[in-house]
Amino acid sequence: DGGITQSPKYLFRKEGQNVTLSCEQNLNHDAMYWYRQDPGQGLRLIYYSQIVNDFQKGDIAEGYSVSREKKESFPLTVTSAQKNPTAFYLCASTPGRDYSPLHFGNGTRLTVT
Amino acid sequence: LAKTTQPISMDSYEGQEVNITCSHNNIATNDYITWYQQFPSQGPRFIIQGYKTKVTNEVASLFIPADRKSSTLSLPRVSLSDTAVYYCLTMNRDDKIIFGKGTRLHILP
């Protein structure tokens, strides 16, 4: 079955460490997105990529970095510069420049202590 | 900033029809209106999408007036499992996709 896989489901890190969240899709989608969700809040856009080797900052990109070297992969690195990294992180994809809805992964819950 | 405004929360009872209205006063000509459902600790799931008038699928209906400045998601005969957060978005082919805070729907027995 086609879909989006985020791993791991739960991740724990010490403050000051960088951590990379994985997002892989086998839907052959061009566009991929990363969102952050805090308890009781909506989704906030971190980064998005509409094509391989290109990506754009979202509304809250500070303290995060991404790469898009392959169509199926869009890893997100949470750096030590991110002041409040503990959150639920969601990856999504869509075919690209059309009106197709987003397909989401099941998320990674990151806890930094 | 989100381009839509929705009620923060709503309560309803099992078996009732639920209507959630979303305001999008600055919707662009090439924007579509899309609704998602999210359960706790899961990614949002697509419900329905439309451009104008009425769209219906197996789970919901979407009503869009002629001026397209608002839309209403209608869930017929809700059950306890419809308790979730519902997001309304306007989106086009070229823009980044922004979510608002959504509407927290609570279905009571």
Side-chain angles (χ1 to χ4, degrees):
Chain A
D1 285 337
I4 297 182
T5 301
Q6 290 188 244
S7 61
K9 190 171 177 64
Y10 299 95
L11 193 52
F12 299 87
R13 280 293 183 271
K14 295 288 188 187
E15 198 174 319
Q17 294 179 334
N18 292 355
V19 58
T20 297
L21 281 58
S22 169
C23 178
E24 303 279 330
Q25 54 100 358
N26 60 3
L27 299 165
N28 200 34
H29 286 174
D30 284 321
M32 296 185 75
Y33 294 76
W34 273 106
Y35 293 91
R36 168 187 173 134
Q37 188 171 37
D38 293 287
Q41 302 297 311
L43 283 69
R44 291 187 290 168
L45 181 63
I46 306 172
Y47 268 98
Y48 65 107
S49 167
Q50 292 182 316
I51 197 166
V52 175
N53 292 321
D54 187 44
F55 49 83
Q56 309 294 330
K57 291 182 179 180
D59 298 327
I60 56 163
E62 186 175 347
Y64 299 98
S65 66
V66 292
S67 63
R68 188 81 190 280
E69 297 174 2
K70 298 187 295 182
K71 188 175 186 178
E72 59 270 24
S73 179
F74 192 40
L76 173 74
T77 297
V78 184
T79 76
S80 56
Q82 167 49 233
K83 291 181 173 45
N84 297 298
T86 294
F88 187 48
Y89 290 88
L90 286 158
C91 179
S93 71
T94 187
R97 293 185 178 273
D98 61 11
Y99 295 98
S100 296
L102 290 166
H103 293 252
F104 279 87
N106 282 325
T108 292
R109 191 169 298 279
L110 173 65
T111 302
V112 177
T113 57
Chain B
L1 285 178
K3 297 184 277 189
T4 61
T5 304
Q6 305 173 233
I8 293 174
S9 64
M10 293 178 65
D11 289 342
S12 188
Y13 290 93
E14 277 193 295
Q16 300 290 307
E17 177 184 80
V18 171
N19 295 311
I20 306 174
T21 297
C22 177
S23 171
H24 28 79
N25 289 321
N26 297 318
I27 190 168
T29 305
N30 58 346
D31 281 349
Y32 272 65
I33 297 152
T34 310
W35 286 79
Y36 290 84
Q37 175 193 56
Q38 186 184 25
F39 298 113
S41 298
Q42 294 184 24
R45 184 180 69 164
F46 170 78
I47 304 174
I48 197 165
Q49 182 181 71
Y51 184 79
K52 61 181 179 180
T53 62
K54 177 184 174 182
V55 180
T56 297
N57 62 23
E58 61 275 10
V59 298
S61 294
L62 178 59
F63 299 92
I64 305 167
D67 66 6
R68 301 197 336 117
K69 292 185 184 299
S70 67
S71 60
T72 299
L73 174 72
S74 181
L75 303 172
R77 296 179 300 281
V78 293
S79 65
L80 295 176
S81 63
D82 292 313
T83 293
V85 179
Y86 292 82
Y87 296 95
C88 163
L89 287 73
T90 58
M91 56 184 285
N92 60 51
R93 288 180 291 188
D94 301 314
D95 256 354
K96 55 190 178 183
I97 300 175
I98 302 295
F99 282 73
K101 291 182 169 26
T103 296
R104 197 167 293 274
L105 176 65
H106 187 205
I107 304 302
L108 303 164

